Amino acid sequence: MGRIYAYGRTSPDDNEEEIRCLLAEMQVAEEDIYIDNVPKNHRIFPRYTKLLKKLESGDLLYLSSLSVLGDSYAEVKEQWRYLTREKRVDVIALDLPQVDTRRGKSQYGLLVADVVYSLLDYVADSDNNVRRSRQREGIAEARQKGIKFGRPAKQMPDNFTQIYNQWVSKEITGTEAARLCGVSRTVFYKKVKEMRGNLEQS
């Protein structure tokens, strides 16, 4: 068996010493306990990064909870895959005693690790599907209320028809016409297309 490590993550409002004592109860040496104390939504975890460099195949890693691996199921899944499949370390989550990759290892290889990964994969996909569904429902509801998305349409000046006629008669170029309208050439030609469409319909 390799070396034993422990990792926890806290916020400035949490009691770091409480987490440290919990991890120490797992017979982990003080120098092998890594804790990141960072504000919520903080994306940099220096102690975790340092721990990853130390971990070697056959080591055992205690996690104060499975959630310390990420803020979303997708992040937790990716870190779980990296730890168990690439670093090839055993992982135990103290908040989920069933999550112990050492169980059944001799007979079934990475059975527990693979089961947890498959479960996280399923939950992450379900979570994404629910989020996308809610986004679609929210957009549809907003549109029913008359809320428009995207950039507001560029307004043409009152003399747009005059500028358009000058451009049609080749008195001015498209670039000059766009400048007089205060828009880009792309927007000018788009408005020209819309205007011609309206004229054809009328």
Side-chain angles (χ1 to χ4, degrees):
M1 181 177 171
R3 196 162 178 170
I4 301 175
Y5 294 92
Y7 179 70
R9 191 175 293 174
T10 65
S11 70
D13 296 330
D14 296 330
N15 187 342
E16 180 179 332
E17 193 57 35
E18 184 177 326
I19 296 293
R20 188 173 293 278
C21 289
L22 174 66
L23 296 173
E25 287 180 10
M26 300 300 109
Q27 306 301 311
V28 183
E30 177 66 25
E31 65 269 19
D32 293 328
I33 297 176
Y34 293 77
I35 297 177
D36 276 313
N37 188 289
V38 294
K40 192 174 182 180
N41 298 324
H42 196 72
R43 307 303 306 162
I44 301 175
F45 307 103
R47 300 290 292 166
Y48 183 65
T49 301
K50 186 175 181 179
L51 170 62
L52 289 180
K53 293 178 180 177
K54 293 263 190 179
L55 288 171
E56 296 181 356
S57 178
D59 287 344
L60 173 62
L61 174 62
Y62 284 99
L63 301 175
S64 60
S65 72
L66 196 60
S67 63
V68 300
L69 294 181
D71 294 328
S72 69
Y73 287 115
E75 289 181 9
V76 173
K77 181 191 76 170
E78 175 55 30
Q79 288 305 310
W80 180 268
R81 181 199 64 77
Y82 181 70
L83 289 170
T84 60
R85 295 187 179 181
E86 291 194 29
K87 300 296 286 188
R88 303 190 71 80
V89 301
D90 279 316
V91 181
I92 299 175
L94 298 183
D95 61 333
L96 295 168
Q98 302 88 343
V99 179
D100 182 344
T101 60
R102 298 172 301 175
R103 293 182 177 179
K105 197 170 185 180
S106 58
Q107 295 180 355
Y108 306 108
L110 295 175
L111 175 62
V112 174
D114 287 343
V115 168
V116 173
Y117 180 80
S118 297
L119 180 60
L120 289 170
D121 191 37
Y122 169 77
V123 175
D125 284 344
S126 298
D127 191 46
N128 287 334
N129 289 336
V130 169
R131 189 179 298 111
R132 283 194 292 268
S133 177
R134 287 177 179 169
Q135 285 174 342
R136 286 194 295 268
E137 290 171 1
I139 291 171
E141 184 179 341
R143 282 177 174 160
Q144 286 180 347
K145 293 179 180 178
I147 298 174
K148 294 184 178 180
F149 295 89
R151 294 180 179 178
K154 284 277 189 180
Q155 296 298 315
M156 291 295 103
D158 294 336
N159 64 338
F160 173 66
T161 302
Q162 178 186 343
I163 296 171
Y164 168 77
N165 289 332
Q166 286 180 297
W167 173 73
V168 170
S169 61
K170 297 186 178 179
E171 294 177 32
I172 58 176
T173 64
T175 302
E176 180 65 11
R179 187 187 67 78
L180 291 172
C181 290
V183 298
S184 67
R185 283 177 47 179
T186 302
V187 172
F188 173 73
Y189 289 127
K190 181 180 178 182
K191 292 298 180 181
V192 166
K193 186 177 180 180
E194 291 176 4
M195 186 173 184
R196 286 175 172 171
N198 293 334
L199 289 173
E200 289 174 2
Q201 289 178 1
S202 60

